[in-house]
Amino acid sequence: MDLVLLHALPFDGSMWHAHLNMLPGHTHAPSLYACGDNLTDWARKALEGVSSDKLIVVGNSVGGSCALEMAALAPERISALVLVGAKAARRIDSKLQDECIELIQNCGLEAAWDKYWASFFAANIDEHVLVSAKEMALQLSPEHVAHGVRAFHTRPSRFELLAELDCPVICVTGEHDIAPGIETMQAQANAAKNGQLIVVPDCGHYVPIEKPKVMRAIIRDTIEAAS
């Protein structure tokens, strides 16, 4: 069994550094931006990057959308899905997509961080955690992050897929997550055949970064249940 950890915007696979020893030798945290600017290509590359036919896939935000796309492409390989602050349905907002990409291209990642992503963390987050997260994000290529924005906003809507999957679908949300939030994550857990909602207290959108010990416990429990 392999564990696949899929990153959120505006981060890459390094956001999972605290979780890479969960399944030694069988944990993968790819950086997906170079795979293209659509989630189907991201999911296909992620599937090609692991040889096991038994996968636990954990995705935060757009990473969760990619996890759903992996399940759409190869449902027989997915033993469990953990969707962390990830929306299965898609609301088309081409204006927001264009505005974000234009800001990245014209003003840089720091401006986009301040406008779009900093507010996704819990208001009471430790300042050192927030500073570290920002530094992690600003190391990335603006072009790659723009690819990620485009992939997120053009992703397929996969809400109906939830009811078709036989594997467990664990929906994880921070108590203070505003994108998508508890109500949406509860609806997704209810829609799945074998769904579960986990609400993480005092946490925003980026559970793996904000509450790594809680995220590790969720992943550990998922591995044990799938073993």
Side-chain angles (χ1 to χ4, degrees), residues 68-187:
L68 282 165
E69 201 62 16
M70 290 173 68
L73 291 172
E76 73 284 354
R77 294 183 65 186
I78 309 301
S79 297
L81 282 180
V82 182
L83 307 177
V84 187
K87 291 181 281 191
R90 177 171 71 99
R91 177 175 60 86
I92 297 174
D93 194 340
S94 56
K95 181 181 178 182
L96 179 59
Q97 170 191 307
D98 293 344
E99 287 178 351
C100 185
I101 291 174
E102 183 178 355
L103 185 64
I104 291 170
Q105 292 173 339
N106 294 338
C107 302
L109 282 179
E110 185 165 10
W113 171 273
D114 292 340
K115 182 170 183 178
Y116 295 110
W117 294 303
S119 62
F120 282 2
F121 289 84
N124 62 347
I125 187 173
D126 186 295
E127 185 65 22
H128 295 292
V129 175
L130 187 60
V131 168
S132 177
K134 181 177 180 179
E135 290 175 350
M136 193 189 317
L138 296 187
Q139 291 175 4
L140 301 182
S141 157
E143 180 182 9
H144 278 176
V145 177
H147 278 318
V149 172
R150 192 172 292 109
F152 175 73
H153 282 280
T154 60
R155 70 194 189 280
S157 186
R158 293 297 185 189
F159 188 83
E160 293 182 359
L161 177 66
L162 295 170
E164 300 172 7
L165 296 174
D166 293 322
C167 67
V169 178
I170 299 96
C171 297
V172 180
T173 181
E175 177 187 12
H176 304 300
D177 189 2
I178 58 174
I182 294 175
E183 184 177 342
T184 295
M185 297 300 286
Q186 180 68 75

Side-chain angles (χ1 to χ4, degrees), residues 8-83:
L9 276 165
F11 305 104
D12 64 4
S14 63
M15 72 170 284
W16 295 101
H17 65 89
H19 307 85
L20 293 179
N21 63 347
M22 297 291 297
L23 277 180
H26 295 274
T27 300
H28 312 267
S31 294
L32 299 165
Y33 301 117
C35 298
D37 58 5
N38 68 83
L39 278 192
T40 302
D41 285 347
W42 286 22
R44 188 174 293 112
K45 289 290 187 181
L47 286 166
E48 292 172 355
V50 288
S51 58
S52 174
D53 287 330
K54 189 176 184 181
L55 306 177
I56 294 173
V57 186
V58 184
N60 186 190
S61 196
V62 70
S65 300
C66 184
L68 282 165
E69 201 62 16
M70 290 173 68
L73 291 172
E76 73 284 354
R77 294 183 65 186
I78 309 301
S79 297
L81 282 180
V82 182
L83 307 177

